[in-house]
Amino acid sequence: MLLAICMAGVSTVTLLPSGAGTPVGQCDTGLPGHVLTSSSSLLNIGLFAPGAALSTLLFRRPATTAATFVVFSGLIEFIQSVTPLGRSCSVTDVTANSIGALLGVAGATVWLRMNDRPLRRPLRDLAWAAGIALVGSAALAGGFNSQVKGINVVAIDDSRQAFGDATDGSDAWLSSEAEAVFGPGTHATETSAEKDGSRWKISATTNRGTISGWWPDRTLEKAWASNNRGDTGKLSGAQAGQVARTFAEKHFPDSLAGSDQTIRTLGDGSDAAYLVTYRRHRHGVMMPMRLDFTITKTGRMIGFTSKAVKDPALPQATVTENTARAQAAKAAGAKTTSAQLLAQQVGGQWRPVWLVGANNADVWLDGVTGQKVTPDK
């Protein structure tokens, strides 16, 4: 009677409908690393131990009892995974249930020996146990492989926790920077994070525009206002350049150091805007760093883009501009219109490269060898 009550209790507790389980057809296959520390696992151990102990005392066949309860545990998890009971199937539960069953069997076996109650046909007991384990395991394996998809809930939770730890504070930082760019009253409506190596690219959409930057570096990459039209105002180009410089001194000091500022007017009239750019040259070669601002005539920042790249070590360029123009004109079959010596990556290596504009195409020439090249994207 006690055994029947225990088994009814186990079935009721494990198969009673709930609303917090995994979706039908899924089972958590993560390693049971917390089986002895989780309160849920400890309850499962306690749930299966009494029934296994009572069964051992009743039948005096510990091996058969242990195998039966382990297979029974797997059957319960299979039923939980394939039926809409709202229960959670997991390897951890199977492990906890099996530990409870084995503890119950072990305790009952010790009690039987202490009270001189001999086990019934030990060899047949072992044979039955082996058969039950083999057939039951094969049946469960077939059922799980055909009907159930394995998921690693622990790994998913750990990944979410790691993501939260890695990006903790990034939303507040980017929101603060968005307000500095777009003005008071700016608030984020959507944020996202994308991992890139050891860093995270944090992006935000606000009520006034978009902005992105790198975390945990706390460096901005670009921003663009929703209102990207010029404002009617009287700000001069030099004053717009000072607005850009003040912002750059705070947010992009490394890019600003040693760079040259140029200011160009965008559009006509009082609602025109200014494009303020910063470029750095080393030995006549334009470095890969880029920093651009768009400022209206009222001093409002429409947006900026930043490419913060450290100045690479380059071989000395030996091809002159005249030589580069002549070779490019010959290659393009047209007159050249411009020539710039830039630091570019070619085949993963930084090189001084001439960008020569022709009437019908651009030509890239290595500044050392003079050969045509294709810069890396």
Side-chain angles (χ1 to χ4, degrees):
M1 289 179 63
L2 287 175
L3 178 59
I5 292 171
C6 280
M7 298 312 297
V10 169
S11 301
T12 300
V13 171
T14 56
L15 299 178
L16 190 69
S18 177
T22 54
V24 175
Q26 292 186 359
C27 186
D28 177 15
T29 57
L31 294 176
H34 308 290
V35 68
L36 297 179
T37 57
S38 167
S39 59
S40 175
S41 295
L42 293 176
L43 288 173
N44 281 354
I45 291 174
L47 182 65
F48 270 70
L54 291 171
S55 180
T56 303
L57 294 176
L58 179 63
F59 299 108
R60 285 183 285 166
R61 292 180 177 177
T64 301
T65 299
T68 301
F69 270 77
V70 170
V71 172
F72 178 58
S73 171
L75 178 61
I76 287 176
E77 298 303 311
F78 178 73
I79 294 173
Q80 288 179 341
S81 66
V82 298
T83 56
L85 296 173
R87 309 293 300 192
S88 294
C89 165
S90 74
V91 170
T92 299
D93 286 350
V94 174
T95 304
N97 296 342
S98 300
I99 290 174
L102 294 175
L103 288 176
V105 169
T109 302
V110 171
W111 190 92
L112 288 172
R113 289 191 176 276
M114 290 177 62
N115 288 272
D116 296 325
R117 299 284 302 278
L119 302 180
R120 290 180 179 172
R121 300 183 177 183
L123 293 179
R124 181 174 293 185
D125 180 30
L126 291 174
W128 270 97
I132 292 172
L134 182 62
V135 174
S137 298
L140 288 173
F144 274 104
N145 287 333
S146 62
Q147 302 293 325
V148 182
K149 176 183 178 182
I151 59 173
N152 193 331
V153 174
V154 174
I156 294 172
D157 290 343
D158 289 346
S159 176
R160 289 173 178 171
Q161 182 63 42
F163 169 77
D165 293 342
T167 60
D168 185 32
S170 61
D171 287 353
W173 164 72
L174 197 59
S175 295
S176 175
E177 296 295 355
E179 191 168 24
V181 174
F182 301 128
T186 302
H187 61 269
T189 58
E190 182 180 353
T191 60
S192 64
E194 180 180 353
K195 191 171 179 59
D196 185 353
S198 61
R199 304 187 301 169
W200 291 85
K201 183 177 180 180
I202 311 298
S203 304
T205 301
T206 76
N207 58 321
R208 293 180 177 174
T210 59
I211 187 170
S212 63
W214 295 97
W215 184 268
D217 307 39
R218 294 175 180 261
T219 56
L220 295 176
E221 181 188 51
K222 62 181 177 180
W224 195 250
S226 302
N227 177 13
N228 53 23
R229 299 180 64 87
D231 302 325
T232 301
K234 298 181 179 180
L235 203 72
S236 66
Q239 290 172 319
Q242 186 56 49
V243 172
R245 186 174 186 83
T246 300
F247 190 86
E249 286 174 345
K250 179 180 179 181
H251 294 87
F252 310 106
D254 292 340
S255 296
L256 193 63
S259 61
D260 302 315
Q261 183 192 79
T262 59
I263 303 172
R264 183 162 61 92
T265 303
L266 302 175
D268 300 315
S270 59
D271 61 350
Y274 298 103
L275 176 62
V276 183
T277 63
Y278 289 91
R279 299 291 185 268
R280 185 162 53 233
H281 293 78
R282 295 280 188 255
H283 307 293
V285 182
M286 184 184 295
M287 295 293 103
M289 178 277 296
R290 300 286 186 270
L291 186 57
D292 302 323
F293 296 91
T294 303
I295 310 293
T296 70
K297 285 196 171 184
T298 62
R300 180 175 66 88
M301 189 182 302
I302 292 178
F304 65 82
T305 58
S306 169
K307 183 180 179 182
V309 181
K310 293 183 178 180
D311 296 347
L314 300 172
Q316 181 66 41
T318 57
V319 177
T320 65
E321 180 179 345
N322 289 336
T323 302
R325 281 179 174 269
Q327 291 182 218
K330 183 178 179 180
K335 184 178 179 180
T336 62
T337 57
S338 62
Q340 285 185 303
L341 187 57
L342 311 174
Q344 294 287 318
Q345 280 190 308
V346 180
Q349 301 293 323
W350 284 103
R351 305 284 297 177
V353 178
W354 282 104
L355 170 59
V356 183
N359 287 334
N360 57 352
D362 290 334
V363 180
W364 296 88
L365 299 172
D366 190 290
V368 178
T369 64
Q371 296 179 341
K372 287 183 66 176
V373 295
T374 301
D376 300 345
K377 293 184 179 179

